[in-house]
């Protein structure tokens, strides 16, 4: 009975993480953040796999997760090189910059209602110099009496 | 679900006082509808969708951030609560799961992609700890070392090379409010469907299953103690050898599962290292049957098989067993994965070197028009 509760708990958490990754992938426009959300989906799946492996006492689940991690590393390497090339050509990390590869007949996406950045520049206070200038020894200005 | 039944009892009692004893039929019907697993999941899904919608760009400023965070956090706690109360270390689980979900929320909502990467790394740490607690020690450490240590660091390097300063426009507004709403609804319905499949199918608070587990545990412990006593007496041959006293905590689980050919099977899972199965099942199955028959339990019939096995995953030499499985059963897959890693490495380097030659005659990206 305990084992079922552990299984259900981990499966629900895996589903929540997968759902969060899915939502993030669909909502964000930055290529790198989209890829991070895809990795988040992979983490949800890994958790679910390990939970099933424990429930059925099967090592195959954890072996599959090992391979998933290896493939995720390959995919991250190649994808990041691709993103660097895309960013260099387009000038930004926005995936909407590559709209020309969209389906024929669909409207292009246009930015509307661009909000201003609310974070204002902070003006740091500056202090006017105060106090008396120190006395200058005329001999010291010519040569140093001690090192 | 214990807490839901308790809430229902108190609600009914309070209502009895309020209405002077007469139960309004429609109010009763609404209450009964709300206390089902389906309603619980629907409420959680709606809260989750609303919370996440308020958090992702273009929303997520000021009060929306707070409301969205509270709603999403409440939804996650309600999703996990029915199963959490049956886990042995519930506060630790809640803390780690909360951290993982918080990291996930931070990843998808941060305006700065560097912050997204850092939130993702914190989520990975929590996920690594959760994997550790679930009997995947090697995977927990591998997740932290490979994912958080290598992949996220590579992401940060690429961000250093490509990300402009400040918060870019496309990070702040996303695709607009309508795609965000659709994505939130779609994502939360997916989570709700998975949870519905879990909860509606098998309730974790089945009292009959609890009773069965206790009976089976007691039967096994009695049999083991009897075998120990027999060993001490000279001249009595008993095929069970147990090293130390067996307690009921060694019996992790006893469930009845349906089999593919129509029958049922009672599966008993022992904790690893209990030493109960060193010389075979010797008498445990008959002891279980006779004990259950004595107590008049109708859980199993003579045609139900009984299978007793040790939990392999939680064994002390877990990593050695995982290595044995990987290099024994999946040896070729490992070699293929190694070659794949090499090919990916070579491919990435060649793409980086020859990428400059692709500019001519290919699709070129343009900045998005502003209205």
């Amino acid at each position: 009975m305990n084992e079922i509760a552990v299984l259900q708990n981990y499966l629900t958490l895996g589903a929540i993480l997968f759902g969060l990754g899915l939502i993030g992938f669909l909502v964000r426009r930055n290529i790198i953040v989209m890829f991070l959300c895809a990795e988040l989906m992979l983490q949800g799946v890994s958790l679910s796999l390990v939970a099933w492996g424990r429930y059925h006492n099967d090592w195959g689940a954890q072996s599959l997760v090992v391979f998933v991690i290896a493939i995720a590393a390959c995919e991250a390497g190649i994808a990041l090189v691709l993103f660097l090339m895309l960013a260099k050509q387009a000038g930004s990390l926005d995936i909407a910059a590559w709209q020309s590869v969209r389906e024929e007949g669909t409207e292009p996406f246009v930015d509307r209602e661009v909000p201003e950045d609310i974070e204002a520049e902070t003006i740091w206070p500056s202090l006017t110099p105060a106090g008396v200038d120190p006395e200058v020894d005329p001999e010291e200005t010519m040569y140093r009496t001690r090192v | 679900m214990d807490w839901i039944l308790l809430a229902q009892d108190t609600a009914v009692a309070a209502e009895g006082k309020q209405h002077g004893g007469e139960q309004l039929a429609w109010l009763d019907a609404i209450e009964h509808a709300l206390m089902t697993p389906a309603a619980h999941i629907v409420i959680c899904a709606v809260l989750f969708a609303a919370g996440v919608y308020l958090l992702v760009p273009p929303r997520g400023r000021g009060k929306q951030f707070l409301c969205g965070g509270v709603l999403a956090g409440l939804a996650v706690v309600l999703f996990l609560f029915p199963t959490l109360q049956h886990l042995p270390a519930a506060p630790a689980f809640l803390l780690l799961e909360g951290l993982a979900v918080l990291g996930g929320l931070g990843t998808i909502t941060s305006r700065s992609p560097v912050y997204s990467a850092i939130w993702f790394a914190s989520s990975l740490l929590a996920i690594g700890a959760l994997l550790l607690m679930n009997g995947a020690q090697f995977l927990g450490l591998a997740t932290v070392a490979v994912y958080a240590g290598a992949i996220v660091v590579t992401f940060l390097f690429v961000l250093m090379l490509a990300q402009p300063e400040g918060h870019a426009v496309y990070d702040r507004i996303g695709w607009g409010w309508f795609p965000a709403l659709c994505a939130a609804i779609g994502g939360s319905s997916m989570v709700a469907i998975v949870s519905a499949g879990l909860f509606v199918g098998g309730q974790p608070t089945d009292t009959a299953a609890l009773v069965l587990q206790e009976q089976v545990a007691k039967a096994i412990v009695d049999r083991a103690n009897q075998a120990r006593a027999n060993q001490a007496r000279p001249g009595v041959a008993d095929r069970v050898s147990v090293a130390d006293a067996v307690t009921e905590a060694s019996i992790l689980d006893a469930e009845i599962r349906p089999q593919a050919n129509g029958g049922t099977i009672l599966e008993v899972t022992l904790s690893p290292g209990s030493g109960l199965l060193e010389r075979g099942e010797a008498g445990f199955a008959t002891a279980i049957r006779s004990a259950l028959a004595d107590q008049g339990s109708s859980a199993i019939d003579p045609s139900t098989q009984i299978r007793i096995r040790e939990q392999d995953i939680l064994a002390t030499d877990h990593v050695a067993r995982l290595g044995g499985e990987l290099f024994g059963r999946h040896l070729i897959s490992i070699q293929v994965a190694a070659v794949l890693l090499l090919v990916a490495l070579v491919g990435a380097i060649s793409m980086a070197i020859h990428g400059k030659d692709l500019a001519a005659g290919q699709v070129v990206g343009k900045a998005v028009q502003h209205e």
Side-chain angles (χ1 to χ4, degrees):
Chain A
M1 209 277 312
N2 204 18
E3 295 286 311
I4 286 189
V6 169
L7 172 74
Q8 289 183 349
N9 196 39
Y10 271 90
L11 286 183
T12 313
L13 179 69
I16 290 176
L17 284 173
F18 186 86
L20 281 177
L22 178 72
I23 294 173
F25 191 83
L26 294 174
V27 163
R28 300 300 300 255
R29 270 166 70 177
N30 192 325
I31 308 182
I32 307 259
V33 178
M34 286 171 72
F35 198 67
L36 278 173
C37 297
E39 298 288 333
L40 193 59
M41 285 197 258
L42 274 181
Q43 289 305 305
V45 168
S46 304
L47 268 178
S48 305
L49 271 173
V50 168
W52 280 117
R54 172 172 170 167
Y55 183 66
H56 289 291
N57 205 24
D58 190 2
W59 288 110
Q62 295 196 18
S63 313
L64 187 56
V65 176
V66 168
F67 292 126
V68 160
I69 291 183
I71 302 294
C74 300
E75 155 203 355
I78 296 186
L80 290 174
V81 169
L82 183 66
F83 295 162
L84 268 178
M85 285 167 42
L86 292 178
K88 203 160 43 160
Q89 276 198 342
S92 80
L93 279 172
D94 191 4
I95 203 169
W98 294 91
Q99 290 186 54
S100 43
V101 298
R102 69 182 181 277
E103 258 186 45
E104 291 185 16
T106 48
E107 297 286 323
F109 176 78
V110 175
D111 276 332
R112 292 188 180 85
E113 300 168 0
V114 179
E116 290 168 13
D117 211 349
I118 294 184
E119 289 108 50
E121 293 283 334
T122 52
I123 301 173
W124 299 106
S126 63
L127 298 173
T128 54
V132 191
D133 280 335
E135 287 185 7
V136 176
D137 193 2
E139 271 193 33
E140 293 275 333
T141 56
M142 290 198 292
Y143 65 94
R144 288 206 288 191
T145 50
R146 61 179 183 278
V147 178
Chain B
M1 305 186 192
D2 288 339
W3 67 279
I4 286 187
L5 294 174
L6 186 62
Q8 188 178 18
D9 284 338
T10 48
V12 166
E15 198 158 2
K17 286 186 209 154
Q18 205 176 5
H19 294 279
E22 59 174 18
Q23 294 286 335
L24 298 176
W26 57 273
L27 208 56
D28 217 5
I30 289 183
E31 260 183 49
H32 275 289
L34 276 181
M35 296 301 179
T36 54
H40 170 76
I41 287 169
V42 166
I43 291 174
C44 289
V46 167
L47 285 177
F48 190 66
V52 174
Y53 171 67
L54 284 177
L55 283 174
V56 292
R59 305 268 164 256
R61 291 252 176 234
K63 283 209 195 82
Q64 291 170 347
F65 187 73
L66 203 60
C67 292
V70 165
L71 283 176
L74 187 65
V76 166
V77 169
L78 282 178
F79 260 129
L80 294 170
F81 191 72
T83 48
L84 262 183
Q85 51 182 341
H86 297 282
L87 298 184
F93 270 107
L94 184 61
L95 179 71
L96 287 170
E97 287 169 355
L99 272 176
V101 173
L102 184 69
L105 281 171
T107 306
I108 68 177
T109 61
S110 288
R111 262 51 173 176
S112 161
V114 178
Y115 286 7
S116 285
I118 306 283
W119 277 116
F120 183 59
S122 77
S123 175
L124 280 173
L125 289 180
I127 291 173
L130 282 169
L131 286 172
L132 262 175
M133 288 176 85
N134 207 15
Q137 288 95 318
F138 173 72
L139 281 173
L141 297 179
T143 301
V144 171
V146 171
Y147 256 105
I151 295 183
V152 174
V153 169
T154 314
F155 272 116
L156 288 172
F157 269 107
V158 171
L159 278 172
M160 171 186 78
L161 292 171
Q163 175 71 12
E165 267 197 43
H167 292 173
V169 166
Y170 46 87
D171 273 331
R172 278 183 275 136
I173 56 175
W175 296 108
W177 66 270
F178 185 64
L181 185 65
C182 293
I185 292 177
S188 65
S189 14
M190 194 225 64
V191 179
I193 288 172
V194 171
S195 300
L198 289 175
F199 288 128
V200 177
Q203 298 286 341
T205 63
D206 200 358
T207 46
L210 268 175
V211 167
L212 174 69
Q213 185 173 351
E214 281 173 27
Q215 289 172 339
V216 167
K218 192 165 179 312
I220 292 183
V221 168
D222 289 341
R223 170 79 184 102
N225 291 336
Q226 180 191 14
R228 278 184 80 223
N230 282 348
Q231 276 182 316
R233 276 191 265 142
V236 178
D238 204 321
R239 302 201 46 190
V240 174
S241 79
V242 287
D244 304 311
V246 176
T247 61
E248 282 166 8
S250 310
I251 290 93
L252 286 179
D253 197 25
E255 302 155 41
I256 298 186
R257 298 186 193 170
Q259 270 189 312
N261 56 1
T264 52
I265 179 170
L266 170 66
E267 279 202 0
V268 182
T269 314
L270 307 172
S271 68
S274 59
L276 285 171
L277 294 181
E278 274 172 26
R279 290 202 196 160
E281 287 187 42
F284 282 131
T286 44
I288 291 174
R289 276 189 212 279
S290 57
L292 286 176
D294 285 343
Q295 289 163 15
S297 159
S298 61
I300 64 171
D301 50 15
S303 71
T304 308
Q305 289 180 325
I306 295 185
R307 184 163 74 197
I308 307 177
R309 56 171 194 179
E310 260 195 14
Q311 168 66 277
D312 210 9
I313 306 275
L314 296 175
T316 324
D317 54 346
H318 158 94
V319 181
R321 294 190 195 203
L322 176 63
E325 166 87 8
L326 268 179
F327 283 95
R329 198 163 162 192
H330 303 285
L331 179 63
I332 297 186
S333 306
I334 287 207
Q335 306 304 324
V336 169
V339 172
L340 187 64
L341 277 166
L342 179 67
V343 166
L345 178 68
V346 170
I349 293 178
S350 75
M351 270 171 63
I353 290 178
H354 295 294
K356 324 186 205 25
D357 303 338
L358 285 180
Q362 295 286 328
V363 178
V364 176
K366 294 183 284 224
V368 183
Q369 300 170 8
H370 289 265
E371 241 186 24

